[in-house]
Amino acid sequence: MKTIQQSIRILESFLYNEYSVEVHYDRMGDNAFFSDAGIVEINSSSPEEEQYHTLLHEASHVVLYPDISETAAWGMAEDMAISLSLAPLNKKLIVW
C-alpha cells in the first residue's frame, strides 16, 4: 500500500498526464476544480490526510466533468483510490 504522500504525487501526475490539469496548493485555497483554468486548488493549511481526500475528490470532478455531482465525485474517489492502488480513503473524512 502506498503512503499518503506517494498517493498525492501519483494523483498529481495522473491529472497532469491524462487531463493536462495542474494541482496548486495555497494556504487560502478553495479546494476546487477550476475547469476553465485546468487547475485543482487544494488548501495547504489542512492536514495532509485531508488534502489527500480533497485531491481525490477534486480529481474525480476532473474525470467526471461536466458532471458536478458531489455524490458521484465521492463514489468515483473511492474507485480511483482502488484502481490506482493508492492509500485507502478514511471514511470518517468523507462528507456526502
Side-chain angles (χ1 to χ4, degrees):
M1 181 185 326
K2 296 187 177 58
T3 67
I4 288 177
Q5 282 185 350
Q6 290 170 324
S7 296
I8 287 172
R9 299 301 166 243
I10 290 168
L11 278 171
E12 291 169 342
S13 294
F14 170 76
L15 288 172
Y16 186 76
N17 293 331
E18 298 296 323
Y19 296 93
S20 299
V21 170
E22 294 181 10
V23 179
H24 294 186
Y25 296 88
D26 187 287
R27 292 190 59 75
M28 303 295 280
D30 287 332
N31 291 334
F33 168 47
F34 299 100
S35 59
D36 292 344
I39 292 172
V40 167
E41 187 177 84
I42 303 295
N43 187 317
S44 62
S45 63
S46 299
E48 186 176 66
E49 186 176 20
E50 191 174 316
Q51 289 180 45
Y52 169 59
H53 281 76
T54 301
L55 180 56
L56 257 175
H57 176 80
E58 297 306 330
S60 296
H61 280 301
V62 172
V63 172
L64 293 170
Y65 185 78
D67 180 358
I68 58 169
S69 163
E70 293 300 311
T71 302
W74 278 120
M76 165 141 294
E78 288 187 279
D79 293 342
M80 192 180 303
I82 293 166
S83 68
L84 294 175
S85 301
L86 304 176
L89 288 171
N90 179 343
K91 302 279 188 180
K92 293 177 184 176
L93 294 178
I94 295 176
V95 178
W96 296 89

